[in-house]
Amino acid sequence: MSSGLRIGFVPEHFSTPLHFAHKHYNLTSTLLPFPSGTGHMVSALQSGEIDIGIGLTEGWIAALAKHQNQKKDAGFRLVGTYVETPLCWSISTGAARHELKSVNDLQGKTVGVSRVGSGSYVMSYVLADKHGWLDPPNAHPNPNSDSRTMEPPFPVEVLHTFANLRDAVNTKTADFFMWEYFTTKRYYDNGEIKKIGEIYTPWSSWKIVAASHLLHPHNWASGPGAAESSPLKDELQDALLKINQGVKHFEQNQEEAVQYISIKLDYSEKDARAWLKTVRFAQDVRGVDGSVVEETVRILDKAGVVDGKGIDLREMVAVERSEALKRI
C-alpha cells in the first residue's frame, strides 16, 4: 500500500529500524537518503521530491514555526515520533586549531552548518543561549508588527555535507561545527578533528513528518471527530505501522543491528554497541506529544530562532500522541 511513497531519511545509525522495516516487513516505499540532513528534507518535501521525512525535531519545528511567522503553509505536518531520547550534539574544531580549546573560546566564531534551518544551524542558537551569548540588544523590535528579528550569535558558513564541515574547520573556513556524537567519533579517533564540547537537545530527538496530501485535510487531531478516525491516509498509516515493526525487530535483534551499523554504515562495532545503550525508539511511532512541540517552540523562541508569539501548535501536528493511542 505504501509502495508509491518516498521516504527521506538521514543515512546514519538511527536509520537502522527503517532498514529493517524495508528488509523484513515489506515497507515498499522508496527510501531516499539525505546525508545533509533535515534542512535539505524540508526543501525536498516542499518541492515534491519526498512524501515523508524522518529527521531532527528542531529542524522540523523551526521550519513549521517560521512558515507560520511568514503566514505561509509549510506543506507538511508532524505525524510521528521516531526517537524518544535526546540527541548528543558533539562540538568539533580542526585537529590543529590550538587556539580553540573549549566551548568558551567560541563566542563570535564562525559556525559551519549543513543548511540554514538545519539541526546544526538551530542548535548553534541553543548553544549560544545556554552560554549567554544571545545579547538582548540584538533583538530588534519591528515597529510594523509584533515580531522580532535576532542577529545570528555566530557568523554562519553553509557547507552542505558532513565531509565539507570537517574540511572547513581544518582550513579555517569555519571555526567549529556541531554533529551527532557517534557519527563524529570516528574522526576524533583518526585525528582528523578534535572535540571541544557537547550539548544535548532539550527535547526528544527525531520526528516524522508527512506532506499534506497524505493527510485528511479536515480531520487532524485538533479538528472535529479526530479521536474517532485517523487524520492519516491509509498509505501513510501503513508505512508508519511497518516502521513500528522495524523498531520492534531492532529491539529484539540487537546483534543484527550491530552488524548492519558496523558493516553497512561504517561505524565500529564498539561504537555501535555503545550507541545502542543510549537510544530509545518509540514503541509506536504514530502521533506527537503536544507538550514536546510546545517546549521546543519555547526554547527556539528564547534562542531567537523563531518568533513564538502567536504560533498555533495545532497547525504543526497532524495527530497528537494521545489521540493516536486511542486508535491502537
Side-chain angles (χ1 to χ4, degrees):
M1 185 182 296
S2 61
S3 58
L5 299 182
R6 299 155 299 171
I7 301 178
F9 72 100
V10 181
E12 296 174 355
H13 43 321
F14 288 95
S15 67
T16 306
L18 185 64
H19 163 74
F20 287 161
H22 191 267
K23 179 179 179 181
H24 297 298
Y25 299 101
N26 198 34
L27 176 64
T28 54
S29 303
T30 301
L31 304 183
L32 299 174
F34 283 79
S36 55
T38 307
H40 191 184
M41 280 189 278
V42 169
S43 300
L45 278 159
Q46 293 173 334
S47 64
E49 296 172 56
I50 59 174
D51 306 292
I52 299 170
I54 301 177
L56 296 176
T57 300
E58 57 270 24
W60 297 134
I61 293 178
L64 288 163
K66 285 181 177 180
H67 278 79
Q68 281 199 34
N69 290 160
Q70 298 165 3
K71 302 188 185 307
K72 296 179 180 178
D73 181 11
F76 64 90
R77 299 291 185 274
L78 292 156
V79 298
T81 300
Y82 187 57
V83 177
E84 303 280 11
T85 41
L87 191 73
C88 180
W89 287 86
S90 196
I91 305 167
S92 305
T93 190
R97 302 292 296 275
H98 303 302
E99 77 280 16
L100 301 176
K101 298 180 176 65
S102 73
V103 174
N104 293 330
D105 299 321
L106 298 180
Q107 186 173 8
K109 300 297 185 182
T110 298
V111 61
V113 304
S114 57
R115 285 178 176 239
V116 171
S118 67
S120 58
Y121 174 85
V122 170
M123 286 303 296
S124 71
Y125 282 80
V126 178
L127 178 72
D129 179 59
K130 180 179 179 180
H131 289 272
W133 297 337
L134 289 175
D135 189 359
N138 284 339
H140 304 296
N142 183 335
N144 299 317
S145 73
D146 293 329
S147 66
R148 62 183 175 130
T149 58
M150 181 75 77
E151 294 295 324
F154 309 102
V156 173
E157 190 72 29
V158 178
L159 295 160
H160 302 289
T161 68
F162 185 36
N164 288 347
L165 289 166
R166 300 195 309 273
D167 289 341
V169 293
N170 283 308
T171 62
K172 299 189 178 182
T173 303
D175 295 305
F176 74 101
F177 71 89
M178 305 167 69
W179 211 259
E180 193 271 336
Y181 170 71
F182 283 101
T183 305
T184 313
K185 182 179 179 295
R186 78 193 82 165
Y187 301 101
Y188 300 146
D189 294 343
N190 70 15
E192 181 178 331
I193 55 176
K194 69 176 180 178
K195 179 182 177 183
I196 55 174
E198 63 183 32
I199 183 173
Y200 282 84
T201 58
W203 41 70
S204 56
S205 53
W206 294 76
K207 298 288 181 288
I208 304 172
V209 300
S212 299
H213 70 83
L214 291 175
L215 307 171
H216 295 297
H218 302 297
N219 195 28
W220 295 347
S222 58
E228 287 76 34
S229 61
S230 174
L232 312 178
K233 291 186 177 179
D234 289 346
E235 58 267 43
L236 175 56
Q237 185 86 264
D238 179 68
L240 296 179
L241 289 173
K242 286 174 178 172
I243 293 172
N244 278 348
Q245 291 177 296
V247 169
K248 186 174 181 179
H249 187 93
F250 170 86
E251 293 177 342
Q252 294 177 348
N253 297 272
Q254 297 275 280
E255 283 304 311
E256 183 182 357
V258 168
Q259 292 307 306
Y260 174 73
I261 293 167
S262 60
I263 295 171
K264 297 294 186 182
L265 299 178
D266 195 28
Y267 294 76
S268 71
E269 279 198 30
K270 180 181 177 182
D271 287 349
R273 293 185 194 282
W275 171 71
L276 288 173
K277 296 176 182 177
T278 70
V279 68
R280 179 166 51 88
F281 286 85
Q283 294 295 306
D284 186 342
V285 301
R286 295 172 296 173
V288 175
D289 291 321
S291 60
V292 171
V293 179
E294 183 175 13
E295 177 65 5
T296 304
V297 169
R298 186 189 71 78
I299 293 171
L300 295 182
D301 174 71
K302 182 173 183 284
V305 177
V306 301
D307 182 359
K309 186 175 182 180
I311 292 293
D312 186 349
L313 301 178
R314 296 171 300 176
E315 287 297 311
M316 295 186 178
V317 180
V319 57
E320 286 201 44
R321 179 169 280 179
S322 58
E323 301 299 340
L325 293 174
K326 290 178 184 179
R327 289 187 288 273
I328 293 174

